[in-house]
Amino acid sequence: MKKGVILAVVTGAASDPEVLDATLALSRIYDSHIEVLHPRLDPFQILAGLIDGINGLGTSDIVAGITEDINRRHQLAKSSFSAWMGRHNIRLETEISKSFTGRNNGLTTTWRQCEGTYDGAMIQYGRLADVIVLAQPGSGGHQAQQMIVEAALFETGRPVMCIPAGFRGLDPKRVAIFWNGSQQAARAVGDAMPLLSACGNAVVMSAGRSEGSDATDLVERLVLRGIEARTKRINSSQEKTPAALLAALEEISFGLVVMGGYGHCRLREMFLGGVTRHMLAEAKIPVLLAY
């Protein structure tokens, strides 16, 4: 019997097949059903703060253009989803509960779409998932994808795995853990425990002072769980820490990074700190985040 649900977020972007393939690999580790969500924006909600300043004709033209793009993305997302099911012989179910019955032994998935805002979609579906998988915003800084990542992190309380462009396969044989002793980092490690147990090999990286338990303390706990682990200290100034951590990742063949989505400001639009932003922009391997 399957034990949980992993949520894949598709947006009609070129990254959708990579997100779906990563979710499939993750579902095998977590022994989970796959729920695929397409957040479909409401054009009037997008323009809610601007309509008063635009005349009626202008508003109609803008809404028509936005609606056309929303429909185009929806069709692209559905096409990627259908092609993915065909490639992997995955059966579509209309209800998640049906995938848990004894008669269903193969891979199953459900399709969901939620109209409104990214926050609303994540609140409705993301909070019920064991893990949320979506595309990494990347160095191009696509605003919509950045908004989806932030909605998933800040609105769900669930771990979020960001998949980089060019993803070719989830290989969690060696996991890097960025550790600073924070609550967010601790939650990320807890959320990643099924992956850590499956890989059996982890390197706990630290830089600067820890807020609480240090990297050695974490390694001891991982070893107690049968996970081979060691520490790696990154010596760099605070402003160079993000680049130094990324360089350390490239020295060793890691398949995944686990870290807390932390920063120095409570305001949402400024919350993601330098390390988190740098990883989301530049990491070449999946990043598992928790807040």
Side-chain angles (χ1 to χ4, degrees), residues 227-239:
I227 300 167
E228 182 181 341
R230 63 181 177 87
T231 63
K232 182 176 178 62
R233 180 72 182 174
I234 307 298
N235 295 313
S236 67
S237 59
Q238 183 174 348
E239 62 272 14

Side-chain angles (χ1 to χ4, degrees), residues 10 57-58 77-78 84 137 143 151 157 160 165 175 213 218 229 242 246 254:
V10 294
L57 178 60
K78 283 299 293 280
W84 169 74
Q143 186 177 9
V160 176
V175 176
S213 301
L218 176 57
L246 195 63
F254 289 107

Side-chain angles (χ1 to χ4, degrees), residues 46 69 77 195 206-207 221 245 250 261 263 273 284 291:
I46 296 174
D69 185 65
L195 282 167
S206 61
R221 271 63 175 183
L245 286 169
E250 295 175 355
K284 306 304 181 185
Y291 164 58

Side-chain angles (χ1 to χ4, degrees), residues 164-262:
F167 171 83
R168 290 294 178 266
L170 186 63
D171 181 18
K173 293 179 181 177
R174 182 172 293 141
V175 176
I177 301 172
F178 290 171
W179 182 257
N180 68 347
S182 68
Q183 179 182 3
Q184 292 85 0
R187 183 174 291 116
V189 171
D191 290 334
M193 200 55 68
L195 282 167
L196 292 169
S197 298
C199 82
N201 191 314
V203 177
V204 181
M205 297 184 178
S206 61
R209 297 181 61 182
S210 176
E211 294 182 18
S213 301
D214 61 24
T216 302
D217 296 325
L218 176 57
V219 165
E220 290 179 351
R221 271 63 175 183
L222 293 174
V223 171
L224 281 174
R225 291 175 174 266
I227 300 167
E228 182 181 341
R230 63 181 177 87
T231 63
K232 182 176 178 62
R233 180 72 182 174
I234 307 298
N235 295 313
S236 67
S237 59
Q238 183 174 348
E239 62 272 14
K240 294 182 179 180
T241 293
L245 286 169
L246 195 63
L249 286 180
E250 295 175 355
E251 293 176 7
I252 304 174
S253 182
F254 289 107
L256 177 72
V257 181
V258 174
M259 62 184 294
Y262 48 84

